[in-house]
Amino acid sequence: MSIQRLMCCSLLIVSTCLAGVACSPTLEAQAQQAPQLQEGEPEGAFCGGIAAFQCAEGLVCVDDPNDGCDTNQGGADCGGICRKEKRRACTGREPGQRFISRDPNQCAVIRYFCEEGFEPFSNDCGCGCQKIKKACDYKDPTLTFVSKDPTQCLAITFLCPKGSVQFFNDCGCGCQQVDNACDYSDPTRSYISLDPGECTLINFLCAEGTPFFDRCGCGCQLSP
């Protein structure tokens, strides 16, 4: 091929690029050139598109419902608008909550009732019934709190001095002074449960001694 012909081809390619027919920047170049929105820019600013415009910190890019571009319908390089990032104020593991549905959209159309002592709740994690919280009396002189966090109470172990018993409720856990308190250090007693409520649900046999069940719990009593 002659030098003259090569020069003609080069001029043709340059002319085509200048006319905007080809030679578009690469995706990597577009990303590098995409301007970042500055902190404090308002919600609703343009984002995305072929230039991949970014939203300011704390905002996310969502589809613009007012344009005709839909990525689900074959649209490519659709633009969007910046919206505040929605953060859920729940975890779905809050104590005292019983979920009927974990789909907020379904929660909007279903009807349900809660048993006595519970009330309905609905949040970003779903809906259901939660235990009605009673006012806590942290000034009760008969109560010594080990923790005021019911969730933490499930993970800790503690003993109460003679003349008091353990308590666990929605306000926390600790030791409560009582008359004729339970003596959990009695060597003649082997406890299966310290919860009288739980004792009503379990069956057990004693290899030694005889079964007992009272306000202190249940287990096996050895002969003195």
Side-chain angles (χ1 to χ4, degrees), residues 118-194:
F118 288 78
E119 61 184 356
F121 77 88
S122 180
N123 54 35
D124 291 338
C125 296
C127 57
C129 298
Q130 64 183 3
K131 197 170 183 180
I132 298 176
K133 294 183 178 180
K134 298 179 181 179
C136 299
D137 184 7
Y138 293 117
K139 297 181 179 180
D140 187 339
T142 66
L143 299 179
T144 301
F145 282 86
V146 174
S147 173
K148 296 178 181 179
D149 182 352
T151 303
Q152 186 182 45
C153 287
L154 298 174
I156 60 178
T157 302
F158 62 92
L159 297 175
C160 293
K162 190 174 182 179
S164 62
V165 294
Q166 293 179 337
F167 73 87
F168 298 87
N169 55 37
D170 292 338
C171 299
C173 57
C175 300
Q176 182 176 18
Q177 298 176 8
V178 294
D179 296 329
N180 299 321
C182 304
D183 184 6
Y184 292 117
S185 62
D186 186 347
T188 66
R189 283 193 160 192
S190 176
Y191 283 88
I192 292 175
S193 174
L194 305 180

Side-chain angles (χ1 to χ4, degrees), residues 86 88 99-112 121-128:
K86 188 177 181 181
R88 300 200 307 181
F99 280 87
I100 292 175
S101 174
R102 294 185 181 273
D103 182 352
N105 294 325
Q106 186 183 47
C107 288
V109 297
I110 60 177
R111 297 181 62 188
Y112 60 91
F121 77 88
S122 180
N123 54 35
D124 291 338
C125 296
C127 57

Side-chain angles (χ1 to χ4, degrees), residues 26-73:
T26 64
L27 293 177
E28 182 178 357
Q30 291 175 12
Q32 292 175 350
Q33 296 169 3
Q36 298 285 331
L37 296 185
Q38 299 301 314
E39 185 177 356
E41 283 196 79
E43 251 188 301
F46 179 82
C47 59
I50 192 170
F53 284 85
Q54 301 296 308
C55 291
E57 185 177 355
L59 302 177
V60 292
C61 190
V62 300
D63 181 56
D64 185 351
N66 298 317
D67 63 17
C69 188
D70 187 350
T71 55
N72 295 323
Q73 300 295 328

